[in-house]
Amino acid sequence: MVMKNHLYSLVETACQKFPRSIAFYEKGQAYTFSEFEEMCKRKVQWLSGKGVKEGDFIALWLVNGVEWLSWYFSLSRLGCTVVPINTRYGKKEIEDMMVKSSPKALIMQKEFRSKNFLNLLSSVERHAVESIDVIYCAGLNFSDSDELNEMVFFSDDSLSECCGESEVSSYAPVPNGSLTSILFSTSGTTSGPKLVMQSQSNLVTHANNCAKFYGLNKHGMTLLAVLPFCGAFGLNAVLAAFSGGAATVIIDALDGKEAALLMKKYKVTHLFGSDDMYRKIIDSCDEEKPFPDARFFGFGAFNSSFHEYAVNAWARGIPLFGLYGSSEVMAIFSAQDDSMTLKERIKGGGKPTAGDEAKIRIRDIATSNILPAGESGEIEIQSPTNFTGYLDNDEATRNALTEDGFFKTGDLGYIREDGSLVYESRMGDAIRLGGFLVNPSEIEDVIKKVPNVLDVCVVAIQYQEANVAIAFVKESQESEGLENQVIDACKLNLAPFKVPKYVFKVSEFPATSGPNGLKIQRGSLRNMAEAAVGN
């Protein structure tokens, strides 16, 4: 009998239901669910032999792959908390994650493409890794001794000695589902990111809900996993596919052309990702209808207006649906459905995968009153998959929750009459103009229709004792008088207080790279605007 509140139950259940079905495709190799379970068993045996036990924090520093997932499930089977390290991190970010979590062990790979993780680890301040007793490094050979910095490493040979034939249950009791399974990193400030704790049972519940909601439990479904597993967006999607028995095609880093080819080869039906990711994949395709097997492609718009691009994608048979989610309530928490008009279908938000068990309400930012349908305010959520807190940060946890247990998302949105959610923007991205709270995408949508405008991002700054809009524009080709064309278009289509005071041309927007893709740094744009106008 499988106890279903711990993460490893997904593996046991999948092997009971469809042992010989394909769980993963990676680099042309297929892995069945039963083969994947054997990989996990071998790792559980190895970890147990190294003294890893329930309650330990273990850092996982690997690129997307079957290995990442098998280590993760194995560590969950032992009741460990996984600290996923983003492979794009630099020295300071790695030090911050290590200091905050104090992992007992580190599982890593030697390198990926041009980045040498072993060299990077050797540069990390010693105090940041002093908690680590065990390091496993895939691809390690002992000619790398100069980079080992006196730390003791285990290599592939050590792991291969485990036969993988023993029953997992002989190594440890079944873990309690309330144990923290993983720490997701939020966007940080100067103090570094907060670490979001999600329990094993939360992840299981969400995976099962998503499998049904998105149709990943139907025969013949295939997911393309693109986003890094170290983030909620990437991990939640692959766990949902695993729960539903769908095959997952894994790529270790996004290349638009490679992703498009794999989608055609494996008849991919489902894809989840950012607007930036979709642009790279779709723009690599010349065919009028490039993905005939597509069923549900969910997206989160993290940058400037994606509306027109999504409309054009639907015209090519690419079924893009707006999503909503976060590390605190889980990624792909909700989605729009095809009963909506196209205009509504491509807005962020939608109906929760948890159905009536999830409660969403909107709070007025000025009065703190709960708002009726159609009125914008801060989104608050209470659901079965709400996070259990921020690691070692009780104050931040208290500040993130209402007295009755709703998570204060920091996002702006409203509820439709049917109860579904519409996400508008981060509250920090919303701008106050003429005394009104304005979603910058409203202005960006108008500007994107101006000829030769490739992309735009609108921010607000204080100028001569009033808040004004400032537009930063990327050109598709160099053109004269573009600034005046942008302002004229806004004057024609928008209220006067929404018309940008200035329009600046840029070659690129300042952006940060995270597990969900690129995010424009609107704060940096505001600083640039203030400097340009002499504030």
Side-chain angles (χ1 to χ4, degrees), residues 361-480:
R361 66 190 185 194
I362 307 297
R363 189 177 296 276
D364 189 293
I365 299 168
T367 68
S368 294
N369 294 329
I370 301 301
L371 293 170
E375 294 191 27
S376 293
E378 183 178 10
I379 301 166
E380 296 182 350
I381 293 174
Q382 185 182 70
S383 82
T385 56
N386 274 25
F387 74 131
T388 57
Y390 298 112
L391 180 69
D392 295 331
N393 199 335
D394 292 341
E395 182 181 2
T397 302
R398 285 193 300 271
N399 291 339
L401 299 172
T402 64
E403 289 185 0
D404 56 349
F406 279 70
F407 171 60
K408 297 185 285 188
T409 66
D411 292 329
L412 189 69
Y414 61 90
I415 299 292
R416 298 188 182 99
E417 291 291 344
D418 68 356
S420 60
L421 173 68
V422 175
Y423 164 77
E424 294 180 290
S425 70
R426 287 292 294 168
M427 284 172 57
D429 293 340
I431 55 181
R432 190 167 288 279
L433 301 170
F436 297 94
L437 203 61
V438 177
N439 184 351
S441 66
E442 185 182 347
I443 305 170
E444 292 163 354
D445 285 341
V446 171
I447 297 175
K448 287 198 73 173
K449 294 176 181 177
V450 175
N452 297 323
V453 171
L454 178 63
D455 208 348
V456 58
C457 188
V458 173
V459 298
I461 63 170
Q462 190 169 40
Y463 178 74
Q464 295 181 351
E465 299 184 355
N467 278 1
V468 297
I470 307 291
F472 288 87
V473 173
K474 289 170 62 175
E475 295 177 288
S476 57
Q477 62 182 42
E478 192 171 340
S479 57
E480 293 287 336

Side-chain angles (χ1 to χ4, degrees), residues 111-117 119:
E111 58 194 357
F112 178 65
R113 297 185 178 174
S114 61
K115 191 165 186 176
N116 189 308
F117 299 143
N119 285 341

Side-chain angles (χ1 to χ4, degrees), residues 24 41 146 167 188 206 220 239 244 285 301 306 331 338 340 354 357 381 432-433 453 459 488 528:
F24 304 108
K41 285 181 178 180
D146 289 345
E167 289 295 324
H206 191 56
L239 291 182
C285 302
F306 191 63
D338 56 12
M340 300 278 180
E357 292 187 77
I381 293 174
R432 190 167 288 279
L433 301 170
V453 171
V459 298
D488 289 344
M528 290 166 59

Side-chain angles (χ1 to χ4, degrees), residues 102-252:
S102 299
K104 174 180 179 177
L106 168 63
I107 297 164
M108 63 179 293
Q109 62 191 79
K110 177 184 172 182
E111 58 194 357
F112 178 65
R113 297 185 178 174
S114 61
K115 191 165 186 176
N116 189 308
F117 299 143
L118 202 57
N119 285 341
L120 185 54
L121 180 65
S122 69
S123 72
V124 168
E125 295 294 332
R126 194 61 187 266
H127 74 89
V129 294
E130 62 185 3
S131 63
I132 296 175
D133 296 329
V134 177
I135 300 177
Y136 167 80
C137 183
L140 179 72
N141 57 67
F142 287 96
S143 63
D144 299 313
S145 57
D146 289 345
E147 285 82 32
L148 301 189
N149 200 18
E150 299 181 358
M151 291 184 281
V152 178
F153 285 74
F154 294 95
S155 65
D156 301 334
D157 290 340
S158 172
L159 180 60
S160 65
E161 293 172 1
C162 296
C163 65
E165 295 297 327
S166 300
E167 289 295 324
V168 172
S169 58
S170 65
Y171 297 109
V174 172
N176 189 310
S178 64
L179 290 169
T180 300
S181 174
I182 195 165
L183 303 177
F184 292 126
S185 178
T186 64
S187 299
T189 59
T190 54
S191 62
K194 297 190 292 291
L195 298 180
V196 177
M197 298 186 290
Q198 281 289 5
S199 70
Q200 293 205 23
S201 60
N202 278 10
L203 286 153
V204 172
T205 298
H206 191 56
N208 292 335
N209 287 341
C210 288
K212 296 173 186 175
F213 185 90
Y214 294 110
L216 284 160
N217 60 347
K218 296 179 180 177
H219 179 71
M221 298 298 102
T222 303
L223 170 78
L224 179 69
V226 177
L227 296 179
F229 298 157
C230 63
F233 211 165
L235 183 60
N236 288 152
V238 75
L239 291 182
F242 195 90
S243 169
T248 296
V249 182
I250 300 174
I251 55 178
D252 50 25

